[in-house]
Amino acid sequence: MEQQKLWTGNFLSICFSSFFVFITFYSLTATLPSFVTDHLGGDQSQAGWVMTAFVIASVLIRPFAGRWMDGPARKKAIVLALVVFMICAFVYPAISAFGVLLVLRFAHGLSFGAATTGNGTIVAELIPAERKGEGLGYYTLAMNLAMVLGPFLGLTIIQHGSFGVLFTILIVFGVLGLLLGLVTARIRKPASAAAADSVPAPAAPAKTKLRWKSLLEPKAVPISLVALFLAIAYSGILSFVPGYAKELGLESVSSYYFVVYAAMIVLARPFTGKLFDKLHRNYMVYPTILLYVVGLIVLATAHSAFMFLFSGALIGLGFGSLFPCLQTIAIQSAPKERTGLATGTLFIFFDGGIGIGSVLLGGIAQASSNRVMFLCGAASVVLGALVYYVLMHRNPSARPRPAESV
């Protein structure tokens, strides 16, 4: 049978729309703490709440967003999310008070959670079933590249320019994300999923009751629990690597850490997605978790630029290759008509892990050291591996369902 086409205009539109959304998120994540302390007169505790408000909003909206993406209002939902995301970008230059910034961050988090859930749902339906792991691997590459370019762009601009310049560039990104998202919103659901939405009468009353199963996909919860523990460790990398590099006297090479991280993802991604589609998922999950743990241990014990950057390469190969596998498992574990809920469930737990980790690991670093904090992150990844073994190891391999390959 001829392999179905992956690289289509619709697929590229979703990837680039997500890229502009995520690069905005990561640019602000790296720079807003300085904005709070230098421009608003706040302290480090307040700077932490800027991230927390965003994550809380994102977690709260995802169950509803997943439900909307599986229903007939998906087009309106994704467009509204991207419009609000763009409007929030326009507001940042006018912020002069910390309380107003918190409100803006909450609104931005709501739009981010809905937009990323929507894009993740639509792309999962668009990718051919037999290329699901490969396709989602390339899709998450957009997020990985944004994670690298966002902090680099943001920090470079505020070091050599101003926050005004940064906010202007992020406004442009918000507009581009919306324009590309309009293409995404026009993508129709697959015939089988659309037919499920059109099933009359009996199902309608049930949809009016907001039970937990209407907001979360139970079959995606086990792999989402794994994602939570992995995200706790990831929050430490995202938040504390630049400060850790300064502590080690490696500030001059700190900007290259995420470049090395991204380079390894780009090199590995063409192979990891295809391997996931061909092998039992355990053969991908355990090695990438091991690389993630080793990378964190190397980071915690680094004393030279080489070891510091080498840890970025290991974590890029590990966590960078692992996350699209988790997303694929979540989607394949759920019924086709609940793809949106499965995607939302995974991101709820992942965002929750980021929020928990930012507070927990930050407290550990303050009470002990960054080295101990990264070792605790490695322990969290080990816990994630244990959760996977208990809940997922003996389950059948996640293969494309027969109905999907029609």
Side-chain angles (χ1 to χ4, degrees):
M1 180 183 296
E2 185 178 351
Q3 195 175 42
Q4 294 188 50
K5 195 173 181 181
L6 173 62
W7 295 102
T8 63
N10 287 337
F11 180 72
L12 290 171
S13 295
I14 298 176
C15 288
F16 279 106
S17 177
S18 293
F19 173 78
F20 288 118
V21 169
F22 275 99
I23 196 172
T24 300
F25 165 68
Y26 284 116
S27 295
L28 291 171
T29 298
T31 57
L32 280 183
S34 296
F35 181 74
V36 170
T37 56
D38 298 344
H39 291 263
L40 301 182
D43 54 29
Q44 291 295 330
S45 175
Q46 289 177 313
W49 274 105
V50 169
M51 181 65 177
T52 301
F54 189 97
V55 171
I56 289 174
S58 179
V59 170
L60 289 176
I61 197 64
R62 286 196 188 278
F64 300 97
R67 195 166 183 255
W68 297 331
M69 295 307 154
D70 287 331
R74 65 187 297 170
K75 181 177 179 179
K76 294 179 181 178
I78 187 67
V79 171
L80 178 61
L82 290 169
V83 167
V84 174
F85 190 86
M86 179 192 69
I87 291 173
C88 287
F90 276 92
V91 179
Y92 279 97
I95 294 296
S96 59
F98 177 72
V100 179
L101 178 61
L102 277 186
V103 173
L104 175 61
R105 290 295 286 169
F106 192 85
H108 215 175
L110 290 175
S111 62
F112 175 82
T116 52
T117 299
N119 280 343
T121 300
I122 295 172
V123 78
E125 295 174 348
L126 188 66
I127 296 170
E130 70 276 9
R131 304 184 70 179
K132 195 74 76 180
E134 179 187 3
L136 286 174
Y138 284 120
Y139 171 71
T140 54
L141 181 60
M143 292 185 284
N144 296 138
L145 292 177
M147 191 210 74
V148 177
L149 296 176
F152 179 80
L153 176 69
L155 293 172
T156 301
I157 290 174
I158 64 172
Q159 286 170 5
H160 299 92
S162 67
F163 276 99
V165 175
L166 173 63
F167 292 149
T168 300
I169 291 174
L170 297 185
I171 287 171
V172 174
F173 289 164
V175 172
L176 290 173
L178 172 61
L179 293 177
L180 290 162
L182 293 176
V183 177
T184 301
R186 289 199 299 267
I187 300 174
R188 295 185 177 182
K189 297 182 74 172
S192 57
D197 283 340
S198 63
V199 174
K207 288 186 178 180
T208 63
K209 298 179 181 180
L210 286 179
R211 297 176 299 179
W212 76 273
K213 287 187 179 179
S214 68
L215 301 176
L216 297 174
E217 171 48 52
K219 293 183 178 179
V221 167
I223 196 65
S224 299
L225 280 171
V226 177
L228 183 143
F229 285 101
L230 304 183
I232 288 174
Y234 177 65
S235 70
I237 297 167
L238 187 62
S239 302
F240 302 111
V241 158
Y244 181 54
K246 187 175 181 180
E247 177 187 311
L248 295 177
L250 301 174
E251 192 173 5
S252 60
V253 300
S254 63
S255 60
Y256 295 103
Y257 185 88
F258 292 109
V259 174
V260 172
Y261 177 98
M264 298 310 297
I265 293 173
V266 172
L267 290 173
R269 191 54 51 83
F271 308 102
T272 54
K274 292 179 179 179
L275 286 173
F276 183 88
D277 288 331
K278 293 178 180 179
L279 302 175
H280 190 286
R281 61 192 178 201
N282 291 351
Y283 290 105
M284 284 298 300
V285 171
Y286 289 122
T288 50
I289 285 180
L290 179 61
L291 285 170
Y292 193 8
V293 171
V294 173
L296 284 165
I297 293 173
V298 171
L299 180 61
T301 57
H303 289 281
S304 66
F306 173 79
M307 296 304 292
F308 178 74
L309 296 177
F310 182 55
S311 72
L314 291 173
I315 294 171
L317 281 175
F319 182 70
S321 300
L322 179 59
F323 188 79
C325 298
L326 302 180
Q327 188 175 359
T328 305
I329 293 170
I331 291 168
Q332 291 180 333
S333 65
K336 283 173 60 178
E337 66 274 10
R338 292 173 66 88
T339 297
L341 286 175
T343 302
T345 300
L346 178 71
F347 279 103
I348 286 169
F349 280 79
F350 184 80
D351 289 347
I354 294 290
I356 293 170
S358 298
V359 176
L360 179 63
L361 296 183
I364 292 172
Q366 186 173 353
S368 53
S369 68
N370 281 319
R371 293 186 185 278
V372 172
M373 181 268 295
F374 285 122
L375 288 174
C376 290
S380 180
V381 177
V382 172
L383 286 175
L386 292 175
V387 171
Y388 180 87
Y389 180 81
V390 172
L391 299 181
M392 306 289 299
H393 178 82
R394 297 185 184 279
N395 287 358
S397 175
R399 296 292 185 183
R401 293 179 290 270
E404 289 182 328
S405 58
V406 174

